[in-house]
Amino acid sequence: MPESGVVVVSPRLANLVLGSIGIALGAIVIAVLPGQTGAADHRGLLDPSGPGLFPLLAACVSIAAGLWSLVNARADHPSEVDAGQALIWRRSLPVAGWLGLILLGIATVGFLSAVGVATAGLAFSFGQRRLPVLATLAIGTPLAIYLLFERVLRILFPHGWIF
Amino acid sequence: MLDDLLQGFTLILNGPSLLAIVLGLSTGIVVGALPGLSATMAVALLSPFTFFMPPTIGIPFLLGLFKAAIYAGSIPAITINTPGTAASAATTLDGHALARQGHARKALEMSLFASVAGDLLATFVLIGLAGLLASVALRFGPPEFVMLYAMALITITSVAGRDAAKAVLSTAIGLLVACIGLDPMSGAQRLTFGSVDLLGGVSLIPVLIGLFALPEVFVRCEAPFRARTVIAPDRDAPGLTRHEFRRAVPTILRSTAIGTGVGILPGIGAEISTWLAYGAARRRSREPHRYGQGSLEGLAAAESGNNAACPACLIPMTVFGIPGDTVTAVLIGAFIAHGLTPGPLLFQNHGQVLYSLFASLIIGNVLLLVIGWFGIRSFRRITEIPEAILYPIVVALCLAGSFAVNSSVADIGLTIGAGLAGYLMRKLHMPAPPMVIAMLVAPGLENALRQSLTLSGGNATIFLTRPISASLLALIVLGAGLVAWRHWRPLSSTHQEFDS
């Protein structure tokens, strides 16, 4: 049963995407594993007490699950649900944008300043248009975080040009 | 055991601990009453704050938050026909129907009493059973633990139904993510790709915050803001009568037993138990036609079924170190941060502290009853907080909380990455709990697997030659067979439909 509020893609597309991810992930892990675990070659991964066996098994499970998903994708039919997905995904882009801004802002304007701007921006993306509310969020949220984390818990956030 | 519990009460009956429980319950009610905020999200988000407190203050706060959030999910389920948490989905069926009929107060009261009764009874089962199981678990060797961990992974996969392939993939990704970092036995770097930030492995709490909190923000932003119609409890409307509650007692007892049984199973929790309890109550009812139309018994079944799973989920967590559900998966992280590593040795090494936490569960139930009773009319106001204010604050707290775990900027990036991955997983209808539980189980599973194979000189028959291990393996094969059967059966019938 799809989770409430989520417009999921069609089972066929989901299985195709996940099947490809599972196979690719497993294959990449198996390919790089000898170099990433210090084993001489792929046979060295089979050492029962070595560091390579467990990730190797997990990668095999990933490939098997990927193949299983692809088999399931064959059984499903294309759906019109996917046609509208691009439009729906576009609506959530601002959230990704504001999160990215915070990540960029940490190294430049500082964490708390970035959080202030992004909080107001997110509220705007959620449909809030009243300037006093946006201003309160932009100032109040970082202030509350500053008081709680820096003053009470003594956790210092990375500061930047502004704060 | 009784002595341990009494000592536990003496440890927990002090001002700061009681205040922590009250704060946890109050926060849990707010979180549960807000659709979109889940118990897992809140426990993940707030557990970093508790790392600075003693375990007898920090963990009771989280336990109070957990149980209150599961209870409070029923408030919007009844008043606005939207479950506050996934565990309250079954509550909407009869709860909102009762509210529409003018019995919102009655429904809210039944929800409170059934939740507290279910939770309290399951807490007694936890206290009685956990210590006994821990003494048995102490005799387990590495092969038995391999089978137990594998069983947890099979169980969580088995509830995925037709999405079993996705659940298996989710599990595999969780296992691979857990492999990142220094190998604890040989010290070799694994899948770090030369990154210093990854040497210590992937930090669990930031991943959990990202995986459970941020996707909800993306999803809510997809849909335009919807106005909610709140059905408030009428001040003059009659409350729940003793007779009505007494009639629901057998249902509450049965649902509590189901919730406890499901909660004990590793990997599944209140989201499943509520439906099983509701279904069983409907089958056993003399008036099954009233279910879904405003049945107080149906409401009681759903609520006692989900809340009973909360303490029961702590049994596999404390005894074996295997999370009972996603909330206990997060709680394991908090326990470890407080120096309480879950597993049978927890009872030996930190018995007093552990029983004080069990005592806090009992106290929490009494306090929940008091807070719930006096706040029942005002709880609906929580559901009226606008999304445009709530979710930006949630995002800010997520990022601040994930930074607080290790004071690491990389963890903020990890949280955002996990949030994007979680959103993608929800769009692709891929369950996140198997991944989280695999991440938690993987270190123990790998350790036990390597120890077993080293003991046997690389011979895998060690799992068959030991009776307990062989019995558990038989159960795993049976479970895996069930997963395959449940998966392929509807698929083949679908084929037949297309063929015809």
Side-chain angles (χ1 to χ4, degrees), chain B residues 252-339:
Chain B
I252 291 173
L253 291 176
R254 192 187 316 111
S255 305
T256 300
I258 292 170
T260 309
V262 171
I264 290 172
L265 290 174
I268 50 177
E271 292 87 349
I272 308 290
S273 67
T274 186
W275 286 109
L276 292 179
Y278 186 80
R282 188 177 182 171
R283 278 194 301 277
R284 296 291 296 266
S285 173
R286 286 177 190 165
E287 300 169 317
H289 60 277
R290 292 198 61 193
Y291 278 64
Q293 310 295 320
S295 161
L296 276 171
E297 286 175 34
L299 175 63
E303 279 303 298
S304 49
N306 65 24
N307 259 82
C310 300
C313 282
L314 295 171
I315 295 176
M317 186 202 116
T318 51
V319 176
F320 302 113
I322 296 172
D325 65 350
T326 48
V327 185
T328 44
V330 185
L331 277 174
I332 283 186
F335 267 64
I336 293 170
H338 281 282

Side-chain angles (χ1 to χ4, degrees), chain A residues 7 9 36 51 89 91-92, chain B residues 189-190 192 222 423 427 450:
Chain A
V7 185
V9 303
Q36 289 287 318
W89 283 58
R91 286 194 203 135
S92 60
Chain B
Q189 287 187 32
R190 289 194 306 194
T192 58
E222 274 184 0
Y423 176 54
K427 296 295 284 185
R450 285 163 76 176

Side-chain angles (χ1 to χ4, degrees), chain B residues 117-375:
Chain B
D119 201 311
L120 192 62
L121 291 171
T123 301
F124 291 133
V125 175
L126 161 73
I127 294 166
L129 207 60
L132 283 175
L133 280 176
S135 56
V136 175
L138 278 173
R139 294 182 201 142
F140 282 14
E144 285 76 26
F145 270 102
V146 169
M147 291 302 137
L148 270 176
Y149 289 131
M151 219 162 120
L153 297 180
I154 291 285
T155 313
I156 187 74
T157 309
S158 69
V159 294
R162 278 207 65 193
D163 285 326
K166 293 175 187 171
V168 174
L169 182 59
S170 181
T171 305
I173 293 173
L175 294 174
L176 284 171
V177 170
C179 289
I180 296 171
L182 288 177
D183 171 39
M185 289 174 96
S186 66
Q189 287 187 32
R190 289 194 306 194
L191 305 172
T192 58
F193 297 94
S195 165
V196 180
D197 285 325
L198 292 176
L199 280 180
V202 174
S203 194
L204 186 69
I205 299 284
V207 170
L208 294 177
I209 292 173
L211 211 53
F212 288 107
L214 291 184
E216 191 62 37
V217 182
F218 282 100
V219 168
R220 295 278 158 173
C221 202
E222 274 184 0
F225 180 71
R226 295 180 298 265
R228 296 169 182 154
T229 312
V230 183
I231 301 178
D234 189 350
R235 193 178 286 270
D236 301 323
L240 189 72
T241 63
R242 278 187 191 177
H243 174 69
E244 284 167 333
F245 181 72
R246 223 178 285 145
R247 271 191 64 186
V249 166
T251 307
I252 291 173
L253 291 176
R254 192 187 316 111
S255 305
T256 300
I258 292 170
T260 309
V262 171
I264 290 172
L265 290 174
I268 50 177
E271 292 87 349
I272 308 290
S273 67
T274 186
W275 286 109
L276 292 179
Y278 186 80
R282 188 177 182 171
R283 278 194 301 277
R284 296 291 296 266
S285 173
R286 286 177 190 165
E287 300 169 317
H289 60 277
R290 292 198 61 193
Y291 278 64
Q293 310 295 320
S295 161
L296 276 171
E297 286 175 34
L299 175 63
E303 279 303 298
S304 49
N306 65 24
N307 259 82
C310 300
C313 282
L314 295 171
I315 295 176
M317 186 202 116
T318 51
V319 176
F320 302 113
I322 296 172
D325 65 350
T326 48
V327 185
T328 44
V330 185
L331 277 174
I332 283 186
F335 267 64
I336 293 170
H338 281 282
L340 307 168
T341 306
L345 287 174
L346 181 63
F347 286 79
Q348 270 190 352
N349 300 339
H350 302 282
Q352 262 198 332
V353 176
L354 189 63
Y355 276 94
S356 75
L357 300 179
F358 291 166
S360 80
L361 290 171
I362 297 175
I363 297 168
N365 271 307
V366 178
L367 292 173
L368 179 61
L369 194 63
V370 176
I371 296 171
W373 180 252
F374 286 104

Side-chain angles (χ1 to χ4, degrees), chain B residues 389-412:
Chain B
I389 292 175
L390 178 70
Y391 286 108
I393 294 172
V394 166
V395 169
L397 281 175
C398 281
L399 302 184
S402 66
F403 177 84
V405 178
N406 301 310
S407 291
S408 162
V409 175
D411 281 352
I412 296 179

